[in-house]
């Protein structure tokens, strides 16, 4: 899988699962963030669009979960977004 290739040092036994975020799901995710920010006091439409764009990719993507088994901490999960068209791991929102 692209994420495993990207990180290169994924230990054996790591569980991997993925969900495809298609256009309808992407639209719902954008609506969710727009509503969240509006309810928290962001009312300027341009700022709202920028904030949503920062957190939600423009194109469909794969949401990939890697679940590491760490004896001291238990299971540790990390989520990654992978562009469905290019296969590249997307940068995390800042």
């Amino acid at each position: 899988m692209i994420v495993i290739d990207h990180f290169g040092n994924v230990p054996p036994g790591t569980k991997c699962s993925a969900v495809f975020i298609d256009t309808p799901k992407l639209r719902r995710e954008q609506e969710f963030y727009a509503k969240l920010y509006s309810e928290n006091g962001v009312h300027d439409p341009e700022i709202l669009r920028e904030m949503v764009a920062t957190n939600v990719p423009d194109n469909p993507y794969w949401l990939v979960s890697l679940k590491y088994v760490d004896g001291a901490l238990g299971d540790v999960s990390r989520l990654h977004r992978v562009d469905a068209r290019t296969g590249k791991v997307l940068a995390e929102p800042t």
Side-chain angles (χ1 to χ4, degrees):
M1 178 151 245
I2 300 297
V3 174
I4 292 172
D5 291 341
H6 176 75
F7 289 108
N9 60 350
V10 177
T14 300
K15 296 177 184 176
C16 180
S17 60
V19 175
F20 184 64
I21 307 299
D22 58 6
T23 303
K25 289 179 186 173
L26 193 61
R27 190 174 18 260
R28 286 193 302 270
E29 186 177 2
Q30 291 167 335
E31 290 168 359
F32 167 80
Y33 276 103
K35 183 177 178 183
L36 177 70
Y37 296 140
S38 293
E39 289 175 352
N40 285 299
V42 178
H43 300 293
D44 183 307
E46 186 59 33
I47 292 173
L48 191 59
R49 269 191 296 279
E50 287 178 26
M51 291 177 74
V52 169
T54 298
N55 286 289
V56 182
D58 292 330
N59 298 310
Y61 64 93
W62 287 94
L63 182 60
V64 179
S65 170
L66 294 178
K67 192 172 192 177
Y68 302 92
V69 179
D70 183 357
L73 300 173
D75 292 344
V76 178
S77 295
R78 292 184 56 201
L79 297 175
H80 308 279
R81 292 176 176 167
V82 178
D83 186 292
R85 189 175 43 85
T86 64
K88 294 186 181 207
V89 176
L90 301 171
E92 292 298 315
T94 55

